[in-house]
Amino acid sequence: MSAQAHPPSHPHSQPLIHGLMAEFNSADDLIAAAHQIHDAGFKRVDAYTPYPIEELSEALGHHRSKLPAIVLTGGILGALGGYGLQFWAATIAYPMNIGGRPFHSWPAFIVPTFECTILAAALFAVLGMFALNGLPHPYHPVFNVPRFALASRDRYFLVIEARDPKFDRQDTERFLTGLKASEVFEVER
Amino acid sequence: MNRETMGSDAAAFAAPADVAGIDRLQRLALIAGGAGAVVCLAGLLLSPHYFFRAYLVGWVFWMGVTLGCLAISLLHHMTRGAWGLVIRRVLEAASRTLPLLLVLALPLAFGMKDLYEWARPEAVRADVLLQAKAPYLNVPFFFLRLVIYFLIWGGFAYAVGRLSLRQDRQPDPGLTRKMQLIAGPGLAAYCLAVTFASVDWLMSLQPRWFSTIYGVYLMGSQGLAALAFLITFALWLSRREPMSQVLQPRHFHDWGKLFFAFVMLWAYFSFSQFLIIWAGNLPEEISFYWVRMQGRWGLVFLAIALFHFLLPFLLLLSRDLKRNARRLVIVAVLMLVMRWVELVWQVEPAFADHHRGFYWLYLVTPLTLGGFWLAWFLRELKKRPLLPINDPYLPEAIAHHE
C-alpha cells in the first residue's frame, strides 16, 4: 500500500503519536476486543499480556509468520551442506580406503548431516526471529505509558498504531472505549 | 469457557457410547473377519508351513496397535492434556482387546516348528549355540513368558480402566492422581515386557542374530501403529454425533505433532540399529541386513526408508496438514500400510525357504485378524461413555475457543 493513498486527514492539527493503548482487566475482554478490532479492519495492532495467550495472535489476524519457511530453508541448506562437505571430503579431496568400504559410504554421513540440519535450522530460527521481530530494540514508545508496566503483572494491553490506515485519533479512541477497555491512553512517540 | 453448552455436551456423553453406524461397522468387521478366516483356513490347509509366518505378521501387527494404545493411554495419564482426554475411551477400548489377542496367540502354538528354528529339536541338536540358548528359547517357556506379558499389560490396562470407569460414576478428583500414579510404573513395565516380547516373537526368528535396540525399536513401531489407527478412527468419530461437536482441528493438530515425533523416534531407533551393525560389519550381525538389502528385499528396504520415514516426515512438517483431519488420515493410512510392509520385511527374509505363491497370505492374515480385532474393539467402546465425563480437565479439553 503506498504512503500517498492514506494521507493523515489533518496533519497539522494532530500531535505526532505512536498510537492509542487500551487497557483491559481480563484476557477474555482482550480477546473479544482483538476480534472486533480485527473485524473493523485494523492492521497495525499489537497486544501485550503477562503470559502467552495462543488465540490472541489468531484473533488479531497474525496467522502467518515467515519464520517456518526461514527455518525450513536453513534446514535444507544445512542438510545439503553437511552431506556435500562429507561427500567432497571422502570421495574427492581425501579418498581413503577405510575398512574396505566404498568412498561414498552414505550410512556414515547421515548423523553429521542430521546435526548440520539441526544446527543450520536453529541458527536460521534464532537469527530469523530477531530479523522479523526487530529485536534488539532499545527504545519502544509503549513504555511511555506508565501503567504499561502492569503488562508483565496482571493487566492486558492492546495498541493500535497511528500509522494504521484506518487510524483516527478521536474515532479510534471512541471505538476502543466501547470495547470494554478500562482505560485508553495516548502513546507518545 | 462456556459452561452452559458444556453442561448439555456432558449430558450427551453420559450414556454409553452410541455412535451412528457403529453397529454397522462392527457387523462389517465381523463379516470381514469371518470371510478372512475361511481364506486363512484354506491357506493353512494348502501349506501350514507358509501360513504361520503370515499369521505371525498379522498377530504382531495388531498387538502393535493394541500395546501402542495402552502405552499412549498411560503416557496420557502421566502427562495429561486435551489430546489424550478426548481419545481416552478409544485408547482404553483398544487396550481391552488384549484378551482377544491372547486367544489369537493360540494358533501360534501349532506353528512353532514352522516358525522358529530353536523349536525344532533336530536343529537344536545340530547347533551348539541353540543348545546354549535352549534354557530360554524353548516352547513351554515361550508361552509362559507370553502369558506373563499379557498379565502385566492386561493388569495395568485393567487397573487404570477400572479407576476411569469409577470416575464416570462419581466425580472424585483424587482418581485422576491415582491413575497417574499407576501409569508411571505401568509404562516402565510395558517397556520391559515389550523388550522381552520383541526377542521372543521376532528376534528369535533368526536365533543367532541379536540387536540390543530391538525392543525400543518395536515400541517405536507400536506407538506409530497406534497413532495411525487413532487418527484414522478419530476421523470416523469426528464425522458422527456426538463426537462431531467435540473433536476440533486443534486435537488433530496435537495428534499430528505426536505422530510426527513418533515418525522421527522410529527412524532414530531403526537407523541406530542399522548404523551400528553396518559400522561393525560383523558376520553374525550383518546377516540381518545382508538378506534384507539384496535384490527385491532391497527395494522393500528403500520403500521403507522413503514411505515409512521420509514422505511422512516431510508431509507432517506442515502445520496445515496436521490441522486438516482428512489429509492427516491419508498419512496415517500410509503409515498403517507401511507398518505391515515393514513387518513382512522383518519376518519373511528370516526364513531360508520362500514360496512366492504363498505371499498373498501376508495380506489376508492382518485383514482377518483386523476384522475380529475391530469388532471386539467396537464392542468394548460401546460399553462406556465416549468421554470421561467427570474428568476435572474435560471442560478445558473440549472447549471451543474459536
Side-chain angles (χ1 to χ4, degrees):
Chain A
M1 207 164 279
S2 74
Q4 286 141 317
H6 297 277
S9 40
H10 312 288
H12 45 276
S13 69
Q14 287 191 354
L16 220 50
I17 56 166
H18 173 68
L20 283 171
M21 176 186 284
E23 180 184 330
F24 297 89
N25 287 326
S26 81
D28 286 344
D29 288 348
L30 175 71
I31 292 165
H35 275 295
Q36 294 196 40
I37 287 168
H38 180 60
D39 292 344
F42 287 100
K43 297 272 182 263
R44 309 235 37 126
V45 188
D46 214 343
Y48 306 88
T49 57
Y51 51 87
I53 301 176
E54 271 187 43
E55 315 138 75
L56 196 56
S57 58
E58 223 158 290
L60 287 173
H62 298 177
H63 298 290
R64 292 287 162 185
S65 158
K66 282 185 208 127
L67 199 57
I70 293 174
V71 178
L72 183 66
T73 312
I76 292 170
L77 289 177
L80 293 176
Y83 199 93
L85 178 66
Q86 295 173 89
F87 180 81
W88 173 78
T91 65
I92 299 168
Y94 308 98
M96 276 190 273
N97 184 333
I98 301 171
R101 294 202 172 88
F103 294 133
H104 179 214
S105 282
W106 64 268
F109 298 169
I110 297 291
V111 175
T113 302
F114 172 76
E115 300 295 346
C116 290
T117 310
I118 302 299
L119 178 68
L123 283 175
F124 272 60
V126 173
L127 297 176
M129 182 263 293
F130 281 135
L132 291 179
N133 66 14
L135 286 175
H137 202 138
Y139 172 79
H140 199 288
V142 287
F143 291 98
N144 291 332
V145 179
R147 277 187 71 81
F148 185 70
L150 295 174
S152 57
R153 290 200 213 150
D154 57 354
R155 290 291 191 281
Y156 306 81
F157 293 90
L158 202 149
V159 173
I160 301 184
E161 290 180 30
R163 54 189 169 139
D164 191 293
K166 293 201 61 157
F167 185 85
D168 179 278
R169 179 65 188 79
Q170 269 78 35
D171 286 355
T172 307
E173 179 167 1
R174 236 174 283 125
F175 176 62
L176 281 173
T177 317
L179 294 178
K180 283 204 196 166
S182 58
E183 220 170 324
V184 177
F185 310 96
E186 186 172 271
V187 185
E188 282 174 34
R189 249 188 202 290
Chain B
M1 300 280 129
N2 195 335
R3 295 275 156 193
E4 294 89 74
T5 50
M6 247 315 295
S8 65
D9 274 1
F13 289 99
D18 183 25
V19 185
I22 199 168
D23 293 313
R24 198 166 150 262
L25 186 63
Q26 197 182 1
R27 236 182 354 262
L28 281 174
L30 259 184
I31 293 169
V38 175
V39 182
C40 277
L41 210 62
L44 180 66
L45 292 174
L46 279 170
S47 169
H49 185 61
Y50 294 105
F51 170 77
F52 283 108
R53 41 184 100 160
Y55 190 84
L56 183 73
V57 165
W59 185 74
V60 171
F61 180 92
W62 289 103
M63 279 307 296
V65 174
T66 305
L67 291 178
C69 283
L70 172 65
I72 290 169
S73 86
L74 296 174
L75 192 70
H76 156 67
H77 281 299
M78 287 185 69
T79 59
R80 306 213 179 116
W83 65 269
L85 211 50
V86 290
I87 208 81
R88 195 165 104 191
R89 284 296 140 86
V90 177
L91 294 168
E92 287 170 358
S95 309
R96 290 200 302 273
T97 60
L98 278 170
L100 172 76
L101 285 161
L102 182 61
V103 173
L104 291 176
L106 272 179
L108 290 176
F110 301 97
M112 291 304 277
K113 283 183 186 168
D114 296 305
L115 281 173
Y116 300 105
E117 196 184 340
W118 52 261
R120 291 196 284 272
E122 71 282 3
V124 177
R125 269 197 299 277
D127 192 312
V128 189
L129 217 56
L130 292 187
Q131 285 165 26
K133 293 185 181 193
Y136 185 86
L137 289 181
N138 60 70
V139 175
F141 195 28
F142 177 95
F143 282 100
L144 176 66
R145 286 196 303 270
L146 191 138
V147 170
I148 294 173
Y149 307 145
F150 271 80
L151 286 177
I152 294 172
W153 297 321
F156 281 102
Y158 175 78
V160 175
R162 201 176 49 112
L163 291 175
S164 184
L165 183 66
R166 199 195 294 169
Q167 194 182 40
D168 282 351
R169 307 216 170 106
Q170 60 193 75
D172 173 8
L175 288 170
T176 307
R177 178 84 186 127
K178 267 189 199 161
M179 287 187 275
Q180 192 179 26
L181 285 174
I182 296 177
L187 208 53
Y190 155 82
C191 291
L192 284 172
V194 170
T195 305
F196 279 89
S198 73
V199 174
D200 292 5
W201 302 341
L202 294 174
M203 201 201 284
S204 78
L205 285 170
Q206 46 260 301
R208 289 168 204 85
W209 179 75
F210 49 87
S211 160
T212 44
I213 207 171
Y214 204 66
V216 276
Y217 175 54
L218 193 66
M219 286 174 221
S221 312
Q222 294 182 338
L224 261 184
L227 273 167
F229 165 74
L230 281 175
I231 290 168
T232 312
F233 190 69
L235 176 73
W236 188 83
L237 276 180
S238 74
R239 287 185 172 169
R240 286 160 177 82
E241 291 284 326
M243 288 300 266
S244 53
Q245 302 163 24
V246 171
L247 297 176
Q248 299 158 44
R250 70 184 170 108
H251 297 129
F252 282 93
H253 190 192
D254 283 349
W255 301 323
K257 285 184 274 191
L258 204 57
F259 189 26
F260 182 56
F262 268 95
V263 168
M264 289 191 288
L265 188 74
W266 178 89
Y268 169 74
F269 290 148
S270 85
F271 184 73
S272 299
Q273 173 176 292
F274 172 71
L275 184 67
I276 291 167
I277 290 177
W278 174 85
N281 205 18
L282 302 171
E284 69 267 30
E285 287 181 357
I286 202 77
S287 59
F288 180 88
Y289 286 108
W290 183 251
V291 289
R292 285 170 177 80
M293 286 174 78
Q294 300 294 318
R296 283 167 205 243
W297 291 116
L299 292 178
V300 180
F301 175 84
L302 191 67
I304 290 170
L306 292 179
F307 300 114
H308 202 307
F309 170 67
L310 192 65
L311 185 65
F313 172 82
L314 292 176
L315 290 174
L316 289 171
L317 280 172
S318 157
R319 182 177 186 271
D320 291 339
L321 184 133
K322 281 177 285 197
R323 292 182 72 87
N324 183 325
R326 285 180 57 180
R327 289 198 199 149
L328 186 61
V329 164
I330 295 174
V331 185
V333 170
L334 170 73
M335 184 53 72
L336 285 172
V337 172
M338 288 317 292
R339 278 308 310 133
W340 167 73
V341 170
E342 202 265 352
L343 272 175
V344 175
W345 177 80
Q346 291 267 347
V347 170
E348 176 67 20
F351 295 91
D353 54 336
H354 307 282
H355 197 305
R356 295 234 177 85
F358 287 104
Y359 279 10
W360 56 271
L361 278 169
Y362 279 112
L363 194 62
V364 174
T365 50
L367 293 175
T368 306
L369 294 180
F372 290 126
W373 186 91
L374 191 65
W376 188 285
F377 158 78
L378 292 171
R379 192 187 79 116
E380 291 296 329
L381 189 69
K382 284 196 289 189
K383 283 184 184 167
R384 296 182 185 182
L386 265 176
L387 285 173
I389 39 176
N390 286 325
D391 192 285
Y393 299 98
L394 187 64
E396 242 177 280
I398 65 175
H400 288 257
H401 296 299
E402 284 90 352

